[in-house]
Amino acid sequence: MNMGEQKRKESAKAEFVFGKKNYKFMLIGLAFIAIGFILMSGGGSDDPNVFDPSIFSFRRIRLAPTLILIGFAIEVYAILLNPNKGDSKK
């Protein structure tokens, strides 16, 4: 094995694209999205001839979509966050 191959193998160590901080924010964003979809579910009627006004509740019309949008915003932030900012070691 020559020096070029050895250096290539050393530099090909398992290195994640994102840092630990990015993954924490991604999980937080995913939790917001999941909670939003859970809050949006339900409210339907078993009988199609019966109208159920609970589908227009504040929880389903305002709260759940807002949580989902906040979750997507957190996901974008997690992707754009630079985990090495402030680290002087290299």
Side-chain angles (χ1 to χ4, degrees), residues 73-86:
I74 292 171
E75 291 293 330
V76 169
Y77 175 75
I79 291 170
L80 296 177
L81 181 67
N82 186 356
N84 299 326
K85 188 176 181 183

Side-chain angles (χ1 to χ4, degrees), residues 2-76:
N2 62 21
M3 284 297 279
E5 286 180 40
Q6 189 175 3
K7 283 186 180 180
R8 215 174 314 129
K9 284 184 179 180
E10 286 176 9
S11 66
K13 285 183 181 177
E15 200 171 305
F16 291 111
V17 176
F18 298 116
K20 194 174 186 179
K21 197 173 186 180
N22 295 83
Y23 288 115
K24 284 181 185 178
F25 276 107
M26 283 183 188
L27 287 175
I28 291 169
L30 190 64
F32 268 84
I33 293 169
I35 290 169
F37 276 109
I38 289 168
L39 288 176
M40 202 182 301
S41 67
S45 176
D46 294 333
D47 185 9
N49 296 322
V50 177
F51 177 71
D52 188 8
S54 69
I55 60 170
F56 297 118
S57 67
F58 171 79
R59 185 185 83 188
R60 290 188 180 93
I61 297 295
R62 301 271 187 241
L63 182 64
T66 303
L67 285 175
I68 291 170
L69 289 176
I70 290 171
F72 281 128
I74 292 171
E75 291 293 330
V76 169

